[in-house]
Amino acid sequence: MHILTVETSCDETAVAIGQIVANRVKILSHAVASQMKLHSAWGGVVPDLAAREHLKNLVPTLEEAFRKAGFKSAKGGFGKIKLIGVTNGPGLAPALITGLNFAKTLSFFWGKPLMPINHLEGHLYAPWINRDLELGLRDRIFPALGLLVSGGHTLLIEMRDHLEYEILGGTLDDAVGEAFDKVARIVGLGYPGGPLISKLALEGDPDYSFSVPLKNSGDLNFSFSGLKTAVLYKALTLSKNKSLKEVLGRAPKPDLGIKLTKKQKADLARAFESTAIEALKLKTLKALKRGGYRSFILGGGVAANSLLRERLELSINEFDPSIKIYFPKKEHTGDNAAMLVPPAYLRFCRDKKISSGKKYFDNWKKIEIDPNLKLH
Ligand code: KG4
Ligand code: ZN
């Protein structure tokens, strides 16, 4: 069974073609047109600009996905597709609308069923891609604990089975990826901050330290806004060339104009990264201690961070080596459409069982975007 998926929730236009073979997800192609360079001039994603770029990129990205999957063109290959999956939230409304309308058009003209997918669910299913991880191996995987770390979310999620989610904890303010991006602006690195901060942190010395937010809070929540502010104050104290009022009043730009030496930047990056990761690790272990989890799943853009992977792996193995750890491949950590294939397939199978597929006749008419779509 071939599945085509479309993702436009933020600043990547992505299309993938996957095939389900003997209960395994094989990705035949995944194409991503990134807009990062465009948005980096503003220090973050500008929603209307993102939507305009998606409109430009959707058809070429679709063609690229078909070609990479071994078809001559979309026109020649669409007959193979049995299902179309599309992100309908959460994300930026103007960006989501472009992808959903595109997928609706394909569904209407090609006469294929359309499946709306939660973007967060996609991130959680990224470790299932091209792996020896059968969708049917329920007994070995569930109950699973998921940690979703991206630019918009920081969530601890319990999965008792496929497509079943219970949120155990989340961030009270900034998401962890957002904090990486903001700290990158403070030390003048540009956007997106995560990879730049973690690269620079490798050159840093442990000269500064920040306290781990909500360390003893007793719950499974996170907070990264205070940590980001602590980095800002430290940077202002070190530099002395800007006042707090000046940096807060600055128009959107990739940096705040705080002058720091290369060493100060690297030391700040190291201290921030280490503290943020410690917070993620502590709450993950706290959640695992609730007991009974067979596996741990990591997903989202920040899952690309090597230090996070190392520290999680080490501490989970130390706590209970029988817990299986599933990390996504790095190419599937950021926004992509390949991660939508497993949930699209699972939802289709489940719904088909319930309704013998009737609900898919012209179902594209009923699907709407939801920028605040929750995972449940
Ligand atoms: O999942 P994603 O691509 O988009 C959202 O759904 O938000 O995540 C993007 C976030 C950005 O904040 C980016 O800075 C962060 O992931 N990120 C990283 C790394 N690579 C990307 N954060 C820390 N370390 C990285 N290596
Ligand atoms: Zn994402």
Side-chain angles (χ1 to χ4, degrees), residues 50-269:
R52 261 205 324 240
E53 285 302 296
H54 286 314
L55 282 178
K56 248 193 271 172
N57 293 337
L58 271 162
V59 173
T61 312
L62 177 81
E63 283 290 0
E64 187 187 335
F66 270 98
R67 274 198 308 275
K68 281 185 171 167
F71 299 99
K72 270 209 179 102
S73 64
K75 224 172 167 182
F78 82 87
K80 274 263 181 200
I81 305 295
K82 291 282 173 292
L83 174 69
I84 300 170
V86 61
T87 306
N88 71 324
L92 306 169
L96 287 165
I97 282 172
T98 59
L100 179 60
N101 273 340
F102 182 70
K104 281 184 175 190
T105 310
L106 296 180
S107 169
F108 172 68
F109 278 108
W110 292 352
K112 312 282 178 184
L114 185 63
M115 178 64 70
I117 303 291
N118 186 312
H119 179 78
L120 307 178
E121 176 171 70
H123 277 307
L124 279 180
Y125 272 95
W128 264 261
I129 297 169
N130 287 349
R131 286 277 178 83
D132 204 20
L133 229 186
E134 276 192 33
L135 291 168
L137 288 181
R138 285 188 160 78
D139 298 350
R140 293 203 214 151
I141 296 168
F142 302 113
L145 179 74
L147 174 65
L148 201 161
V149 279
S150 71
H153 295 85
T154 312
L155 293 170
L156 274 166
I157 300 153
E158 179 171 294
M159 283 180 78
R160 298 226 136 247
D161 201 344
H162 281 305
L163 310 177
E164 279 182 22
Y165 313 99
E166 189 191 332
I167 308 289
L168 304 178
T171 182
L172 304 178
D173 38 59
D174 291 355
V176 63
E178 186 183 354
F180 267 91
D181 295 336
K182 286 179 176 168
V183 168
R185 274 189 84 203
I186 294 169
V187 299
L189 289 183
Y191 174 86
L196 300 169
I197 288 280
S198 64
K199 192 164 166 234
L200 186 64
L202 293 174
E203 297 168 30
D205 296 311
D207 286 358
Y208 313 128
S209 67
F210 299 108
S211 46
V212 179
L214 301 188
K215 188 176 173 183
N216 300 312
S217 66
D219 55 23
L220 295 172
N221 289 328
F222 303 95
S223 160
F224 294 100
S225 169
L227 173 59
K228 165 204 71 190
T229 307
V231 178
L232 174 62
Y233 282 127
K234 186 77 198 172
L236 289 172
T237 315
L238 289 170
S239 154
K240 298 194 182 73
N241 79 315
K242 292 268 174 210
S243 69
L244 183 64
K245 209 170 152 197
E246 278 175 292
V247 296
L248 293 183
R250 198 170 166 92
K253 282 242 170 74
D255 75 87
L256 298 178
I258 303 174
K259 283 210 167 62
L260 296 164
T261 64
K262 180 91 194 278
K263 174 157 168 50
Q264 286 170 335
K265 289 181 182 192
D267 293 350
L268 283 173

Side-chain angles (χ1 to χ4, degrees), residues 50 53 77 99 135 142 277 286 340 346 364:
E53 285 302 296
L135 291 168
F142 302 113
I277 288 175
K286 200 176 175 70
L340 305 179
L346 288 164
W364 59 267

